Amino acid sequence: MSEDLFDDSNDSLPAQSVRDFVGPNALYYRAQFRRIGDVARFVPTFNMAAALLGPVWFGMRNLWSYFLVFVVLETLTIVQLARGAWGDLGAPIRDRIEGIEKTLAVRRLQLTDAIDNAPDKVEAFKRTIDSLEGAIENIRIEAAQADGQALALVLGGLAVLALLRAGQAMLANPALRVRYNRWRSEPGMAFGLSLVKITFAVGLALITYVTCVLKFGFPAQVVALQGFPADPAVQTAAANAIKSWMNDAAISSDWFFDGLVAIIRTVLDALEIVFVESPWPVMSGFVILLTALSAGWRSAVFTGAALAYLGYLGFWEKSMQTMALLGTAACISISLGIPLGVLCARNPRVYVLVRPVLDFMQTMPAFVYLIPIIAFFGTGKPAAIVATMIFGGSPVVRLTVLGLRGVPESVREAAMAFGASKRYLLWKVDLPLAMPSIMAGINQTILLSLAMVVIASLIGAKGLGEDVLEALQYASEGQGILAGLAILFCAMILDRIVQGKGR
């Protein structure tokens, strides 16, 4: 039988290949691989080693995704076992008794005083005391019921653990066969057994199981696991250091931020003249015509209806203020983002440095931006514009890079073969072909900037965000919904214009 298994004639599983991949016990695994075959359906087998070792077996075999999943599942099961076997299930419930008993002691003193000085309040205090005593008794009953669930937790945990191990045993061979097939086409993949992998898998599984058992099974004995041993003084020192640095930077770079505010003010004042000061019929006609030219007359009809909503409900001026604020942030973001995206697409080393900054801009919560911005720019519209630029400036850079990198190399080579210069190649080949991606980045930047309207109003920006903020402060549901719809219509108008141009 063993000779037949290691006969390579008419076999898609060469004996030496299986030996190299699985290491010890190659005979067993070759037989299981043959049984499983290359069929699409699941073929159940039972791997005793996986049943005994559990997730450790998957780690030893480089199946780390399975290792993590089964470690998590077994940890949840072992936690229930530990709670049932050693934990005090009723302790969290009984902890509530202490507070009630303190209140009860106060009420008894008040009852004694009322008997002597205020007989009319005696009955009220007696009812309160009876109610508190009844609550304590109910809590004790509830705690006793929780303690009685210990055996059920243990038996249930053992049953689930047995099912998990059985599932791992049935999944082990098919999963290893899939990795074997991948290894044969990608020889660089890790394979075989090694002391390092075995030690790491065993150590990680044991640490996970033991610490969870100690935390949930012996919470009073192992206090260190109940919370991270942090020192509040470290946080205080770090916060003070950051505050001191920001104060020094704001003072020493005052000239730079003043100049930046002046540039932002110039663009903002120009756009406010266009949007806010222009007569509403002129502005409405301009926006409707632009929408028609960009996205068609159907979109223009929708734009006209949206502008009528803004006007008739009294949001016209604030909508135009919002558009001016948004336009300033978007114009500066796009003017800086597209050239930066071109530079990053042509110089991967620059993109390696820029990408972490873009990740920071996208992942940092928007409210956190306001803290350093207020320190450097104060409050008002320029600060709101800077916060909007940080929040919404990343997509145009990323999608410009993506679009330029997606230009077919054959097209660029053909243009260079006909004598195209680098400038001609950029303006006449790369940018036109990357334009759909770039326009998508511009669209995302504009819409993300509009999403900052309400947050920007916290630091003095005017516009529709101010109405939403007031509605939140005074619980004015109607005003908040109307202002929110106005912001929605502004976003949809801009989306129709930009997306239409992209198409």
Side-chain angles (χ1 to χ4, degrees), residues 406-493:
V407 175
E409 195 62 32
S410 58
V411 176
R412 303 184 77 251
E413 290 176 356
M416 289 187 289
F418 282 98
S421 63
K422 291 184 178 180
R423 179 179 299 178
Y424 184 93
L425 190 66
L426 175 64
W427 288 100
K428 300 298 183 180
V429 178
D430 292 339
L431 288 179
L433 291 176
M435 190 55 65
S437 180
I438 295 173
M439 292 304 298
I442 293 174
N443 179 65
Q444 290 300 306
T445 292
I446 291 174
L447 295 183
L448 285 177
S449 299
L450 195 59
M452 281 288 289
V453 167
V454 178
I455 297 176
S457 65
L458 292 171
I459 54 175
K462 303 295 183 181
L464 295 171
E466 193 175 30
D467 284 3
V468 177
L469 185 62
E470 288 180 358
L472 288 173
Q473 291 174 338
Y474 300 106
S476 179
E477 296 87 350
Q479 177 186 349
I481 292 174
L482 292 176
L485 289 174
I487 295 174
L488 171 65
F489 287 137
C490 289
M492 294 180 71
I493 292 171

Side-chain angles (χ1 to χ4, degrees), residues 89-266:
L89 300 179
I93 301 174
R94 282 190 289 269
D95 288 342
R96 290 150 41 192
I97 295 178
E98 182 178 358
I100 298 177
E101 286 180 340
K102 291 180 180 178
T103 305
L104 183 59
V106 173
R107 293 292 180 266
R108 284 172 175 163
L109 291 175
Q110 291 174 340
L111 175 60
T112 302
D113 184 67
I115 292 173
D116 297 332
N117 303 314
D120 56 321
K121 296 182 179 180
V122 170
E123 290 301 324
F125 282 123
K126 285 183 177 180
R127 287 195 298 268
T128 302
I129 291 172
D130 291 340
S131 175
L132 292 174
E133 289 176 345
I136 292 175
E137 185 62 27
N138 290 333
I139 290 174
R140 287 174 177 161
I141 294 173
E142 186 180 351
Q145 291 174 347
D147 291 332
Q149 296 175 356
L151 181 59
L153 280 177
V154 172
L155 295 178
L158 290 174
V160 173
L161 185 60
L163 289 174
L164 283 174
R165 288 299 175 94
Q168 293 174 69
M170 296 177 65
L171 187 62
N173 291 330
L176 189 61
R177 171 61 192 263
V178 171
R179 185 170 181 84
Y180 171 71
N181 291 339
R182 288 184 57 198
W183 171 76
R184 292 185 67 181
S185 60
E186 303 175 30
M189 292 179 60
F191 64 95
L193 299 175
S194 69
L195 182 61
V196 174
K197 287 185 293 186
I198 295 173
T199 304
F200 182 76
V202 172
L204 184 57
L206 284 178
I207 290 172
T208 304
Y209 297 156
V210 171
T211 53
C212 288
V213 167
L214 292 177
K215 175 179 172 59
F216 293 98
F218 307 94
Q221 290 78 7
V222 189
V223 181
L225 293 177
Q226 303 308 309
F228 195 90
D231 185 359
V234 175
Q235 181 185 9
T236 303
N240 291 336
I242 293 174
K243 181 179 180 180
S244 176
W245 175 83
M246 290 182 65
N247 291 335
D248 295 340
I251 294 173
S252 61
S253 305
D254 187 57
W255 58 274
F256 172 76
F257 295 108
D258 287 344
L260 191 58
V261 168
I263 295 173
I264 294 174
R265 278 285 185 190
T266 302

Side-chain angles (χ1 to χ4, degrees), residues 317-372:
E317 183 175 354
K318 290 189 175 182
S319 297
M320 294 302 106
Q321 290 176 350
T322 299
M323 299 289 276
L325 187 74
L326 167 66
T328 303
C331 287
I332 298 175
S333 297
I334 294 167
S335 300
L336 297 177
I338 293 179
L340 181 59
V342 173
L343 177 62
C344 292
R346 293 290 170 262
N347 194 331
R349 293 182 179 178
V350 174
Y351 193 49
V352 169
L353 299 176
V354 172
R355 186 165 55 185
V357 179
L358 299 178
D359 294 338
F360 172 83
M361 291 166 59
Q362 283 189 303
T363 55
M364 181 66 70
F367 282 99
V368 180
Y369 294 145
L370 304 184
I371 299 172

